[in-house]
Amino acid sequence: MSDDRLIVALDVPNALAGLQLAEQLGDAVSFYKIGLGMLTGGGLALADELKREHGKRIFLDMKLFDIGATIEAAVRGLAQYDLDFLTVHGDPHVVRAAKEGASGKPLKILAVTILTSLDRADLDAGLIRAGDIPDLVAERAGRAFEAGADGVIASPQEAAMIRALPTAAGKLIVTPGVRPVGAALGDQKRVATPAEAIADGADHIVVGRPIWAADNPEAAATAILDELRNPQAGLSQ
Ligand code: C5P
């Protein structure tokens, strides 16, 4: 049975590999994320095919950032495709422009707070002001909601804090940086298990390498879906 709380990141090189993976995962997975790595490999065509031919939901992870006019034009163009979620950076001017570009379409604009692969040292290197990451994430999430974002992308470690914000009522929290117990972290630094992420208030979890890089992607996806249905295993570590 499919469960759209799981979004599988199709971070494979091209549309053909993405389609093959989606066909392998079959009915169990109903929501896919297509990101920048696939842009030159037919990502938009794949989004279209997965939606029209296979009835899947699509999250286009473009993490757009630019002046407002350019964001609005980019989002207006992308909104011609039948997409469900699109990411932009969480800066209020970007979120406002993206919402303008998506007006009249069902496309939901999700604001990136702080990438889950970054820690405080990375923020220092990027000249991001002092402060604990969870506090900065909660502040960025609140500002993005006020600017009209339909939801935010955050680490599962920050999901509970965001869910508690008054401005988060009715908003989506989508968490990458999710690792089943025992899975390799890769470059993710602020992680939690699928069950923990959902228990802390995430509406959807995004999982990439633990599924597409697994020897048996279907078994890996099924194990995560089982954990979502029966959270005890993922909450007990
Ligand atoms: O392979 P892994 O499960 O780490 O993949 C996570 C996915 O989520 C990647 O496609 C990455 O681009 C995306 N992502 C993220 N952190 C964010 C936003 C998106 O890791 N803040």
Side-chain angles (χ1 to χ4, degrees), residues 140-220:
R140 264 176 81 75
R143 290 181 189 198
F145 292 146
E146 280 161 15
D150 298 297
V152 290
I153 311 290
S155 149
Q157 294 183 5
E158 290 120 24
M161 208 166 168
I162 294 172
R163 188 44 82 209
L165 295 172
T167 46
K171 304 287 187 179
L172 294 165
I173 300 176
V174 179
T175 61
V178 171
R179 290 291 178 269
V181 176
L185 295 190
D187 55 2
Q188 297 289 10
K189 292 177 183 162
R190 307 193 327 273
V191 301
T193 65
E196 285 166 341
I198 296 290
D200 281 346
D203 298 285
H204 299 274
I205 57 170
V206 176
V207 184
R209 284 162 288 188
I211 293 177
W212 64 256
D215 290 338
N216 183 342
E218 198 186 346

Side-chain angles (χ1 to χ4, degrees), residues 106-182:
L107 175 63
K108 296 212 181 302
I109 300 297
L110 303 183
V112 176
T113 53
I114 295 177
L115 296 177
T116 51
S117 59
L118 302 184
D119 60 18
R120 188 57 250 181
D122 297 312
L123 299 191
D124 289 342
L127 301 179
I128 306 292
R129 78 155 156 80
D132 288 342
I133 288 186
D135 295 336
L136 295 177
V137 167
E139 213 174 310
R140 264 176 81 75
R143 290 181 189 198
F145 292 146
E146 280 161 15
D150 298 297
V152 290
I153 311 290
S155 149
Q157 294 183 5
E158 290 120 24
M161 208 166 168
I162 294 172
R163 188 44 82 209
L165 295 172
T167 46
K171 304 287 187 179
L172 294 165
I173 300 176
V174 179
T175 61
V178 171
R179 290 291 178 269
V181 176

Side-chain angles (χ1 to χ4, degrees), residues 50-135:
L50 286 176
K51 170 68 81 156
R52 284 177 207 274
E53 309 287 327
H54 300 264
K56 304 299 181 188
R57 301 185 73 195
I58 303 295
F59 168 3
L60 193 68
D61 189 14
M62 294 285 111
K63 298 189 180 70
L64 300 173
F65 180 82
D66 210 314
I67 61 169
T70 304
I71 293 290
E72 188 179 330
V75 175
R76 184 157 289 127
L78 289 169
Q80 305 304 311
Y81 290 80
D82 191 4
L83 305 168
D84 296 280
F85 295 170
L86 173 70
T87 45
V88 302
H89 278 265
D91 306 58
H93 80 277
V94 175
V95 172
R96 276 194 296 273
K99 283 297 291 179
E100 199 55 43
S103 62
K105 301 280 184 183
L107 175 63
K108 296 212 181 302
I109 300 297
L110 303 183
V112 176
T113 53
I114 295 177
L115 296 177
T116 51
S117 59
L118 302 184
D119 60 18
R120 188 57 250 181
D122 297 312
L123 299 191
D124 289 342
L127 301 179
I128 306 292
R129 78 155 156 80
D132 288 342
I133 288 186
D135 295 336

